[in-house]
Amino acid sequence: MEQHLDQDSVPVAGSLDKSKVLNVKPLRQLVPVFPSAQNVSSFSNPQGAAPFVCTGPSGPFPPGVAPFYPFFFSPNEQNQQTPGGTPNSSAPFGLNSPISTAVPISSFRTPTEGTSTQNTGSRKNARSRGQLQGYSDSQNDDSQYFGMGINDREDSSKAGRKKKAKKKARNGQDINFTSDIDIDAMLNDMVSSYNLSVLDSNQQSHGSIEAVSSVLMVYELLRRRISQVEESKEPTPGIIRRPDLKTGAFLMTKGIRSNINKRIGTVPGVEVGDIFFFRMELCLVGLHAPSMAGIDYMGLKVSQDEEPVAVSIVSSGGYEDDTNDADVLIYSGQGGVNRKDKESTDQKLERGNLALEKSLHRGNEVRVIRGVKDFSNPTGKIYVYDGLYKIQESWVEKGKSGCNVFKYKLVRLPGQREAFLTWKLVQQWKDGNASRVGVIIPDLASGAESLPVSLVNDVDDEKGPAYFTYDAGLKYLKPVYSMEPSAGCNCVGGCLPGNLNCLCIQKNGGYLPYGSNGVLASQQSMIYECGPSCQCPPNCRNRVSQGGLKFRLEVFRTKGKGWGLRSWDPIRAGAFICQYAGEVIDSSKEKDSARDNEDGYIFDATRSYPNLEVISGDSDGPPRLPFPLVISAKNVGNVARFMNHSCSPNVYWRPIIRENKGEHDVHIAFHAIRHVPPMMELTFDYGIVPPESADGRKINCLCGSSKCRGFFC
């Protein structure tokens, strides 16, 4: 008897007519199905008939073709959907759940050997995990720009349109996500607003400090903006977004890069000790071309032939390298890696291994980039350019897998600035394995900060700065009232990305101004943080400047510029460093009096700050504050009072408005312009006094940069 299954039934063992199943022929024996023409058999295909048609297992089926188990349900059941247009989720899987829309073959990408397909969500081994979460450092992969554009799903047919998808958050908030933003158009608009005249054809080929700095700055601004936009979209299960790759691919296409031509030795514009948080940054500035492979090499003309020579290597823990010595690196060759999807094999003298062997005999210099652990990101790495090395010897030995591995001994050339050695020394200070030389006071802040601030002098006999009271906050001697109504947000559990119901997010242009790691993503001239009027908790993502110091800072004695400020920790571009603490001066009389007394601890937001335009892309000049803000840190202040001036700074400031009922609660927050290595001095531009306020007094500038104005006011 024929068995019928409705949408709520499940076949029971023994209740089916097994002959119907047993008589099903293998697919290779089935005759192709063609659409039936009039008076023509459905199993013939005369000349001129319609082309071959493939019928899906769930139909619809042409005349004469019947479905088979488990797809033999009625067309009504097949198309059954809920009133909202979604499939009926109550139906048993495999019985009447409609097959999802097929994806064109052209939308799939062939994975590189040894990598897992990201769409499956499977992470078969440690190497594939590295590719899903960040750049793999595999020396076994020669792909130059692997993974560009993976999972960057942008529907150009929906460009410029925004859709709001409502979702219930874990804390009960209703979130209106914004999606379908044309990211490519957004990137084009952003790039057109930047002044990239320095990147002419010559700078693209050969590079300079200005060109490299511009490329890295643009990369970071675009990457953080993409992260901000994608985070505001409704999450898609199984999709891993890679703003770093998308940004790199975009800039490569636009030609916004430097040092395109490969070279042996130094790279113009890149200095020893420079740090990078993404492998794509190395590619864009020409320091190391492959985005995955650990060995970069080029062909060198020798007589009539061409032989490979190594130009750079990346050592970041993917292989059995010996990195204990700061001046000597024992580097493993590529290939033969022990992976679960492949058997281990002996390494071969080819590709990068051959290039290293040729470089040994030629004696050419090789750039070395060392990957170190990023303690702020458990799965991340920071890449340190450690300068030029020479290969001293090579040999073959048995690796942990039992297979032959090529080993190369590289020795650092003398006379270069310390880079990796500084990292090792700072880590010893942190671990307590070595003492910091020249410490006067272990904690200048006396516990007022979340982290201690050392006072160090290893230059002269000066015992410390003039007396002042350390205070991490900003003191308003009297409140400044706002004429505009002010209301805080109602995000009880904290402000979440994409929640357009949040009043603070609305004021920030529809996005949270900070990324999940606290890095400033917004390029607006004014940042609105949550404040006393808001219902969100102290650890809300929109209270970054209120959480205290995130880096271990030290006040140190400089050579010729008094006291300065630097960090033991690496600081990534956009990261919050500190705020400017002190007393707000609310009258021009007090301001002039402070200047007459040679108060060198004045922050004046009314000055012109040219470097802000580079960061924000704004052409409207300095941020327009609700009132003239001048802060004196002479008597009361924090670490910011020790930051020296530079005409080429690595720090910039942003005004922060915190919601505080009817008052203007404005603060000044400092962020990194670019990545700052440990122990590099932190500086910002003191600005230029407007012509109408200038009194002719100028202070000689000692910053020593190529763009030095010679003075500041």
Side-chain angles (χ1 to χ4, degrees), residues 70-147:
F71 301 100
F72 57 100
F73 44 82
S74 66
N76 291 334
E77 292 173 341
Q78 172 186 339
N79 298 323
Q80 186 173 7
Q81 293 182 333
T82 63
T86 58
N88 190 343
S89 59
S90 65
F93 177 77
L95 296 179
N96 72 337
S97 301
I99 305 301
S100 60
T101 305
V103 181
I105 293 178
S106 60
S107 68
F108 289 95
R109 299 176 186 269
T110 303
T112 304
E113 181 182 355
T115 65
S116 60
T117 305
Q118 296 186 10
N119 290 339
T120 64
S122 63
R123 304 181 179 186
K124 296 183 179 180
N125 49 52
R127 185 167 180 265
S128 61
R129 284 196 297 270
Q131 292 164 356
L132 288 169
Q133 297 176 359
Y135 282 109
S136 168
D137 300 315
S138 173
Q139 296 157 321
N140 194 38
D141 195 322
D142 269 356
S143 57
Q144 295 289 305
Y145 303 109
F146 173 81

Side-chain angles (χ1 to χ4, degrees), residues 33 44 52-53 102 137 197 214 237 270 272 295 340 376 436 445 469 524 531 535 580 606 661 689:
V33 179
S44 63
F52 170 78
V53 175
D137 300 315
S197 57
S214 296
V270 181
V272 176
I295 306 174
K340 293 181 180 179
S376 64
R436 176 76 172 100
T469 301
Q524 294 188 137
Q535 298 184 31
Y580 200 97
T606 63
K661 300 179 181 178
V689 176

Side-chain angles (χ1 to χ4, degrees), residues 557-680:
R557 188 69 174 175
T558 67
K559 296 180 180 180
K561 296 187 296 181
W563 299 95
L565 184 68
R566 60 190 176 194
S567 171
W568 289 12
D569 303 309
I571 303 175
R572 65 189 304 166
F576 169 74
I577 299 173
C578 63
Q579 65 171 322
Y580 200 97
E583 299 174 321
V584 174
I585 300 175
D586 58 359
S587 71
S588 58
K589 182 178 179 180
E590 291 183 17
K591 172 182 171 182
D592 294 338
S593 175
R595 294 193 60 179
D596 291 337
N597 293 328
E598 297 183 355
D599 184 356
Y601 302 102
I602 284 277
F603 178 88
D604 189 351
T606 63
R607 295 179 180 178
S608 174
Y609 293 85
N611 287 287
L612 291 181
E613 298 178 11
V614 178
I615 298 297
S616 64
D618 296 335
S619 57
D620 300 333
R624 291 185 291 272
L625 297 175
F627 60 92
L629 180 63
V630 181
I631 305 171
S632 173
K634 182 178 181 180
N635 300 318
V636 178
N638 66 343
V639 292
R641 73 195 298 272
F642 296 105
M643 249 193 290
N644 284 316
H645 164 83
S646 175
C647 299
S648 298
N650 51 22
V651 174
Y652 71 106
W653 63 273
R654 270 285 179 270
I656 306 290
I657 293 185
R658 299 173 186 167
E659 292 298 340
N660 190 7
K661 300 179 181 178
E663 297 180 11
H664 277 308
D665 195 1
V666 183
H667 297 256
I668 301 299
F670 289 99
H671 300 265
I673 292 178
R674 52 183 176 271
H675 305 323
V676 183
M679 305 306 289
M680 175 175 284

